[in-house]
Amino acid sequence: ERLVELLQEKRSALITQAVTKGLDPNVPMKDSGIEWLGEIPLHWTLMTLKKIGNLQAGAGFPDEEQGLLSEDLPFFKVGDMGLATNKKEMIDCPNTISQTTAKKLRAYVFPPMTIVFAKVGAALLLNKRRLLSKPSCIDNNMMGFIPKGCDPVWALYWLSGLDLGELANPGAVPSVNEGQIRDMLIGLPPPNEQRSIAALLDVETAKLDSLITKIREAIDRLKEYRTSLISAAVTGKI
């Protein structure tokens, strides 16, 4: 379990290093003027997040509209990000709605390659980011970033390196709003470098995720073996 924690820390550090410093350790650097960002490559452009995409909140999802499986649009709830099949892209959804219902609920239809994440509650602190694979709606506990001037997968990783818990409003229920995120300054690499960073992180994070999955499976098997061993011993079967 400690090894899983260390691998998750390594994964986060790898993403943060790549999206804030680039892949070339010998590239000339410049001071960003931002304490948490530090130096960035000299040829990167410093700009606000709102210059490269739009942020949009989700909509309320009444109970009576939930549970339909055959309508046009997936309607993702914040818990759906934790489904085993929704590791990077949001693929499986237990709820769908029609275009007509979306209009009635005033639910924004997010385009494919939107990056979605939790904006309120304990789920916010998990810092999960996912890509939409098709036009979809999301609930009002979530927010979507729609890339306009950057590579979507690079943006996914950049947002994955952002700890929303540090930005969250104080109180019993942590939360963030669009204003807190859209004015954040970022170091933007050229488009070809964005794609290179995204491609490398795809490969390296997949390796780490696979290793973490194997370790968790081994932990589960060992716990089952431990339980069966104790049971066999105390019932006289050994």
Side-chain angles (χ1 to χ4, degrees):
E1 288 170 352
R2 177 61 181 147
L3 181 56
V4 168
E5 290 177 6
L6 290 171
L7 288 169
Q8 288 173 330
E9 290 173 9
K10 180 177 180 179
R11 187 184 192 279
S12 296
L14 175 68
I15 291 171
T16 300
Q17 175 69 21
V19 299
T20 60
K21 309 299 180 188
L23 305 179
D24 183 358
N26 300 314
V27 70
M29 307 291 280
K30 64 182 178 183
D31 186 8
S32 68
I34 306 165
E35 184 178 352
W36 69 268
L37 186 55
E39 291 189 330
I40 61 173
L42 184 63
H43 63 287
W44 287 17
T45 305
L46 198 63
M47 63 173 59
T48 55
L49 191 65
K50 64 185 176 186
K51 294 284 184 67
I52 60 169
N54 298 327
L55 284 158
Q56 175 71 42
F61 194 19
D63 290 343
E64 60 269 20
E65 302 290 354
Q66 300 181 27
L68 301 176
L69 300 175
S70 58
E71 299 295 342
D72 300 331
L73 298 169
F75 200 125
F76 290 106
K77 300 171 71 173
V78 69
D80 296 334
M81 290 193 294
L83 296 177
T85 47
N86 293 341
K87 291 292 187 184
K88 179 181 175 183
E89 295 186 0
M90 298 294 278
I91 297 170
D92 286 344
C93 184
N95 300 284
T96 62
I97 61 171
S98 65
Q99 293 280 357
T100 302
T101 302
K103 289 179 181 178
K104 182 181 76 173
L105 297 177
R106 297 181 180 178
Y108 183 84
V109 179
F110 292 83
M113 305 308 286
T114 294
I115 299 138
V116 297
F117 50 94
K119 69 169 189 175
V120 64
L124 176 152
L125 303 177
L126 298 177
N127 282 310
K128 292 180 180 178
R129 313 285 184 266
R130 300 291 186 267
L131 279 172
L132 295 181
S133 58
K134 61 180 71 174
S136 308
C137 298
I138 60 176
D139 75 14
N140 56 359
N141 292 314
M142 301 171 72
M143 189 184 301
F145 176 72
I146 307 161
K148 298 290 186 183
C150 63
D151 181 81
V153 181
W154 172 86
L156 170 71
Y157 285 119
W158 190 89
L159 285 165
S160 295
L162 181 65
D163 185 358
L164 291 181
E166 294 183 357
L167 294 176
N169 297 311
V173 180
S175 65
V176 294
N177 56 54
E178 293 96 316
Q180 291 169 288
I181 302 174
R182 65 169 176 249
D183 290 324
M184 290 196 69
L185 285 167
I186 66 168
L188 183 69
N192 63 329
E193 195 171 350
Q194 292 175 34
R195 292 189 288 270
S196 295
I197 291 171
L200 179 132
L201 289 175
D202 275 346
V203 172
E204 296 302 320
T205 57
K207 290 178 185 176
L208 291 169
D209 289 342
S210 176
L211 186 53
I212 289 170
T213 297
K214 289 177 181 178
I215 293 169
R216 283 178 167 155
E217 288 172 352
I219 289 171
D220 289 341
R221 289 195 299 270
L222 286 166
K223 285 180 177 178
E224 290 174 5
Y225 175 65
R226 184 181 189 276
T227 300
S228 63
L229 182 65
I230 292 172
S231 176
V234 300
T235 56
K237 293 178 182 176
I238 296 180

